[in-house]
Amino acid sequence: MAAAHSLLHLAAPKPLAPSSSSSTHTPLAAAQLRQLPAARRPHRLVASCAGSAHPDLTAFPNPNGLLVAEPAAGAQHSIGVDAVTEAELRENGFRSTRRTKLVCTLGPATCGEAELEALAVGGMNVARLNMCHGDREWHREVIRRVRRLNEDKGFAVAVMMDTEGSEIHMGDLGGAPAAKAEDGEIWTFSVRSFEAPLPELTVHVNYEGFAEDVRVGDDLLVDGGMARFEVIEKLGPDVKCRCTDPGLLLPRANLTFWRDGSVVREKNAMLPTITSKDWIDIDFGIAEGVDFIAVSFVKSAEVINHLKSYIAARSRGSDIAVIAKIESIDSLTNLEEIIRASDGAMVARGDLGAQIPLEQVPSIQQKIVKLCRQLNKPVIVASQLLESMIEYPIPTRAEVADVSEAVNQRADALMLSGESAMGRYPDKALSVLNSVSLRIEKWWREEKRLEALELEDVSSSFSDKVSEEICISAAKMANKLEVDAVFVYTNGGHMASLLSRCRPDCPIFAFTNSTSVRRRLNLQWGLTPFRLSFSDDMESNLNRTFSLLKARGMIKSGDLVIALCDMLQSIQVMNVP
């Protein structure tokens, strides 16, 4: 039967087939069912399912954090689950899982195997590589270390490559890790190339038209305002500037220019969004099989569509998601069309805050987060979340409040930049994001702060509309019945994404037969992705899943779950036997 034309109906549940393992599953007896509250008695709301059942599997522990089962001949024999999630579920149950995802930028402080493992144990879901820094050999080695970590230790950390983009930025400071600009100092910003070491108080600028375009009296902001200079003189390719706000200058920090109280957009208006260096980096990312490519300074949806077509042609079947970084006035002008074209968005508040008045950043952030939610695109809140922790072991209270607000807005993910790439306390910074997220999410549940947000339709085909309605209904049922978890069996991740969009008050266990889809789902709110080979027969899938998860202590008899399947567009409500 075509799934798109399935009619949903309420039916009594068929008993699950007994397991052939030592931990045999038996249906709840009728007397036991009568003792359950009415809301927690198992029912099944199904669309017709077809398919042959797979043999049941007998699970045994695996020290690498994978659930491995002894298969019948020819059957797929493992289920992949993140080792940290497994430990949390075993110790604290379903409600202990963090819904907000965490992204860590890797750098000199976190590129070693031990440091990467510490981040993974601390809750890192996505590892970000900033192509502004380091050469491709360094990035290649870090990517392979992340992959080995996943394989050897049972994690599912995804890899995001962030392009440099066409921003105007400083050079590498002649190899120095940083430079300090003091109040009143006269610095030279030049388009000339210098041999290392650089002349004292001199910075190279990558934009050749810099000296011609800048005017005496302009304000030059470094890294979104971490330091500020006033242009006082032009001497050929050199521009003399007086430091008016002292601060730290970091290699390849971006530069923005203000004139008469407004950002000067002409400085990079003619630069391409994706530079020749970016295309080489993108080819590198495709060859290395990264999960996400984040595009800097996106100006239009055309750039995103072009890149997606390029990836599809070059990647030979691999599915790399494209994330649009919202960090310029041009991005805001074309915001909705950019987000619709992309596979997700990043609110890059540092650069964005250098192009719009600072007081507008919070409302713009909220607008972007809400729009991404409406359009079913994951959104990352980034830049300066815990900036003080680059140097200090604890954050400011204002930073904690900022993180709390991003979690409260239901952003899919939070991102550390310099805090994890070069900070002195990357593990502690990640711990703060983790603990604040857990606390705010627990507060939602304690206060029963269920949302009444009306989600607009995002599906175009009838089949997708059916899936969308099933997910909306499943989320409402999950909240009203107070189920322990929602299980979704998905090939490409679409139905799991639709469920995440609804933000149900329970974790979502997303089972997919694709390792790459599993990693990509690690960016979306509330999803705990598993890798599992499954069939079209829901009874067989549930039997195997219950058997494997119960054997590891991740679920127990009596837990109430809702199970969905995007291949057959089915929904079931049942107790774990």
Side-chain angles (χ1 to χ4, degrees), residues 390-448:
I390 293 176
E391 293 291 334
Y392 301 103
I394 61 171
T396 67
R397 305 312 182 257
E399 288 171 335
V400 172
D402 180 37
V403 172
S404 300
E405 178 58 23
V407 176
N408 201 34
Q409 290 173 3
R410 307 298 205 271
D412 288 85
L414 308 175
M415 191 180 94
L416 296 174
S417 298
E419 304 96 325
S420 58
M422 62 178 185
R424 298 176 61 186
Y425 306 98
D427 296 350
K428 290 185 177 181
L430 181 60
S431 176
V432 170
L433 290 191
N434 185 59
S435 60
V436 172
S437 298
L438 284 169
R439 182 64 192 92
I440 297 300
E441 292 164 2
K442 182 180 179 183
W443 173 69
W444 297 339
R445 294 190 290 273
E446 291 173 345
E447 298 294 322
K448 302 294 183 183

Side-chain angles (χ1 to χ4, degrees), residues 98-113:
R98 170 175 36 82
R99 314 296 198 266
T100 308
K101 300 306 177 74
L102 305 179
V103 183
C104 296
T105 303
L106 303 183
T110 47
C111 62
E113 293 181 357

Side-chain angles (χ1 to χ4, degrees), residues 2-302:
H5 302 288
S6 300
L7 295 178
L8 300 177
H9 63 278
L10 190 65
K14 293 189 294 185
L16 295 178
S19 169
S20 60
S21 69
S22 57
S23 56
T24 302
H25 299 320
T26 56
L28 292 175
Q32 291 175 294
L33 292 178
R34 285 193 295 270
Q35 293 172 2
L36 289 172
R40 295 182 68 84
R41 294 175 191 164
H43 293 84
R44 185 173 53 174
L45 190 62
V46 302
S48 299
C49 297
S52 59
H54 282 224
D56 199 8
L57 304 178
T58 303
F60 62 88
N62 180 308
N64 289 335
L66 298 177
L67 297 179
V68 179
E70 186 69 36
Q76 294 292 331
H77 64 275
S78 67
I79 177 171
V81 56
D82 182 78
V84 174
T85 301
E86 177 186 1
E88 289 178 350
L89 287 167
R90 190 183 297 167
E91 291 180 18
N92 303 314
F94 290 101
R95 300 292 171 173
S96 68
T97 58
R98 170 175 36 82
R99 314 296 198 266
T100 308
K101 300 306 177 74
L102 305 179
V103 183
C104 296
T105 303
L106 303 183
T110 47
C111 62
E113 293 181 357
E115 291 81 8
L116 288 172
E117 183 173 355
L119 291 179
V121 170
M124 174 177 65
N125 302 110
V126 179
R128 170 179 174 257
L129 298 172
N130 187 351
M131 301 306 289
C132 289
H133 307 286
D135 58 29
R136 293 185 189 94
E137 284 305 314
W138 183 88
H139 289 291
R140 179 179 289 110
E141 179 57 30
V142 173
I143 291 172
R144 292 178 181 178
R145 286 175 185 171
V146 173
R147 297 293 189 232
R148 285 197 299 269
L149 178 68
N150 288 342
E151 293 172 4
D152 296 343
K153 299 296 178 69
F155 296 104
V157 177
V159 174
M160 176 185 294
M161 191 194 80
D162 196 324
T163 65
E164 183 173 324
S166 58
E167 64 180 332
I168 302 172
H169 58 76
M170 306 188 312
D172 61 5
L173 301 179
K180 182 67 181 296
E182 300 289 355
D183 189 27
E185 285 182 341
I186 306 300
W187 283 68
T188 299
F189 289 78
S190 177
V191 299
R192 289 186 290 156
S193 296
F194 297 94
E195 295 292 334
L198 288 171
E200 188 176 4
L201 302 185
T202 300
V203 171
H204 173 68
V205 179
N206 74 323
Y207 174 48
E208 292 184 359
F210 166 71
E212 289 80 7
D213 291 347
V214 73
R215 299 180 188 174
V216 172
D218 285 353
D219 284 330
L220 170 61
L221 274 66
V222 178
D223 204 8
M226 300 308 291
R228 182 187 294 262
F229 295 83
E230 179 188 0
V231 176
I232 60 173
E233 188 179 8
K234 296 169 58 175
L235 298 171
D238 299 339
V239 177
K240 300 290 185 179
C241 301
R242 178 186 293 111
C243 180
T244 55
D245 286 333
L248 196 66
L249 309 184
L250 301 177
R252 307 188 72 79
N254 71 296
L255 305 174
T256 51
F257 304 85
W258 287 67
R259 183 178 302 152
D260 300 325
S262 300
V263 66
V264 182
R265 298 174 64 188
E266 292 81 4
K267 286 291 181 295
N268 62 358
M270 301 306 294
L271 296 175
T273 299
I274 303 178
T275 66
S276 56
K277 176 186 180 298
D278 292 336
W279 285 117
I280 296 173
D281 288 339
I282 288 166
D283 283 338
F284 165 80
I286 293 172
E288 292 299 319
V290 300
D291 302 292
F292 305 95
I293 294 178
V295 185
S296 298
F297 296 95
V298 176
K299 301 173 184 177
S300 68
E302 182 181 2

